Amino acid sequence: MKLATLSTIMLLGLFLSPQAQAQCTNTNLNGVLFYTLAGTIRSGAANVSYQELGKVTADGNGGLSGTTTTSIAGVIATLPVTGNYTIQANCSGTATLTSTANTAQLALQLVNGGGLTLAVVTSSGSTEITDGRFFRAANATGSQCGNGTLLGAYGVLLGGGTFAGTVRTAYENESQLVFDGKGGVTSTGVLVTGTSPGAPLSSTGTYSISSDCSGTLQLTGPGGTFNFLIARVQGGTLLVMENDANTTINGTANPQQFQSVLPQFVFGGGWYTALYFTNGTSNIVSFVVTFTTDAGTPMSVPGIGNSKQVTLAPLGTAIIEAQNVGSLVQGYASVTLPTGVGAYGVFRQSVGGKPDQEAVVGLKSATATANTLIWDDTGFTTSVAIVNPSTVAATVTITVWDVNGNVIGTSTQALQPGTKIENAMRGFLGLAGMAGQRGSALFTVPTGNISVLGLRFGSTAFTSIPTAEQQ
């Protein structure tokens, strides 16, 4: 497939204009939400520690329903939960959550248009002093979660307590979880209990993530085997709650360094690609860029090889160039950037008798499960490069809508681990109806990950198209 009709896009970013005043309604709180609550609750004559990790569906019209797991002083229960909510125009609101064990009233503040909701329990009857957060599930845009959506290192902070009878011992855990994308995990860190000093912590285990982004995690180390409920929410954060008896321990795990991908790296046949890197920190940093063919094998770049180590001085900049030499070679580039390092790619097309044309694209996350773009094929051609950077096979579903939101067509593309395809979008089976129209497109995978770039080609030039990705 010729790159002249290939669109290599990258997310340059979505910039939202600040609004003079927020205007929220019940519709802003919608879809599948995971939530956490933690604090204290009255049990008998004593105040005891309390935690909760639940999953509810908000119907966008004031209704909630789902399930929740609670721990009251280490007594674990999983219960159905229902509720209602009201959101004001200023994005504050109230909600009620009712289970067979408790009814709680909450005060709410919506953040990011409902992507995050801050909550505090206000019901005096429950004698709770509890706060928490509601998050949209990571599959809010229609993609699905799976073991492949957990990959790489996560920083973890857990807190709470353990119980021996009625005696509570404080618990704090700072650690790193490294997920292999296949259901295996390792953990190293520091554990502090009671007044004892921090002790090294090391364990191995397994995890499982369902398509709805909920899951389980089990870790085994010198101290025994420990079980957790986990939930993956928008932005890639993991909510974590231990569900072993006699514990009230919860917290979050946040991605540390994610692999990034330039889904199209091309040279020869009239094409040139450059990668720019800048170190925005005051430390020397070093990282390796690798190059892979469409077939998933190492790609040799003239004068560079199939990988390149980049070392940047504080505030330093570097460039990697693939020159327009020989016949056309296509693949992609992968890199795990240290914190504080920025990067982008440049494509240049040279055609005899015409000025050279260039487009700038950003690097894409290797852990996204959905990508969206806006396209215009009224006199233009929208093309894409799609990479499966994961270690499992992925089936990419492309859904295309017209300007009125009507489905023009869908297409599925199978990608083996580490492979890539590129084509004009309307050249995919089922998408020929794009010709002469404009609209939007969604790329999703039920397992694995995708990185998508696109370019728009006209009669005399080409340019990049901003895309958005979801973890």
Side-chain angles (χ1 to χ4, degrees), residues 38-308:
T40 62
I41 188 172
R42 193 74 171 175
S43 179
N47 290 330
V48 298
S49 59
Y50 173 86
Q51 68 178 21
E52 181 173 354
L53 175 58
K55 172 193 168 186
V56 292
T57 298
D59 64 9
N61 196 36
L64 298 166
S65 62
T67 59
T68 187
T69 299
T70 64
S71 176
I72 302 175
V75 178
I76 308 292
T78 298
L79 308 166
V81 62
T82 59
N84 53 70
Y85 63 93
T86 300
I87 305 300
Q88 306 297 327
N90 66 357
C91 299
S92 64
T94 58
T96 299
L97 288 175
T98 300
S99 69
T100 55
N102 184 38
T103 295
Q105 281 80 46
L106 299 90
L108 307 176
Q109 292 289 338
L110 268 63
V111 180
N112 294 337
L116 170 65
T117 302
L118 310 180
V120 61
V121 174
T122 59
S123 46
S124 58
S126 68
T127 65
E128 291 178 86
I129 303 177
T130 304
D131 61 29
R133 290 166 172 79
F134 288 72
F135 304 82
R136 283 201 180 113
N139 62 354
T141 57
S143 61
Q144 294 184 357
C145 287
N147 286 352
T149 60
L150 277 185
L151 180 65
Y154 283 65
V156 183
L157 187 60
L158 303 177
T162 59
F163 291 84
T166 60
V167 178
R168 178 182 183 272
T169 301
Y171 175 102
E172 296 289 340
N173 178 343
E174 174 279 315
S175 59
Q176 181 187 70
L177 292 174
V178 180
F179 298 95
D180 66 2
K182 304 175 183 178
V185 62
T186 59
S187 175
T188 55
V190 175
L191 174 64
V192 181
T193 58
T195 58
S196 63
L201 179 69
S202 178
S203 56
T204 60
T206 60
Y207 71 93
S208 177
I209 291 284
S210 300
S211 60
D212 70 348
C213 301
S214 65
T216 58
L217 168 69
Q218 184 179 82
L219 294 172
T220 300
T225 297
F226 305 93
N227 299 280
F228 302 86
L229 300 177
I230 57 177
R232 190 165 181 268
V233 300
Q234 274 191 338
T237 295
L238 272 186
L239 309 182
V240 182
M241 171 181 164
E242 186 169 355
N243 64 332
D244 292 317
N246 303 316
T247 66
T248 52
I249 296 169
N250 71 350
T252 58
N254 295 284
Q256 292 177 305
Q257 289 184 0
F258 276 154
Q259 187 182 58
S260 297
V261 175
L262 183 66
Q264 177 70 0
F265 193 90
V266 59
F267 54 90
W271 288 91
Y272 157 98
T273 301
L275 275 167
Y276 287 83
F277 303 94
T278 295
N279 178 13
T281 76
S282 57
N283 302 309
I284 297 174
V285 297
S286 184
F287 51 90
V288 175
V289 183
T290 59
F291 307 100
T292 306
T293 68
D294 286 4
T297 58
M299 180 171 71
S300 181
V301 180
I304 297 174
N306 55 35
S307 66
K308 172 72 173 180

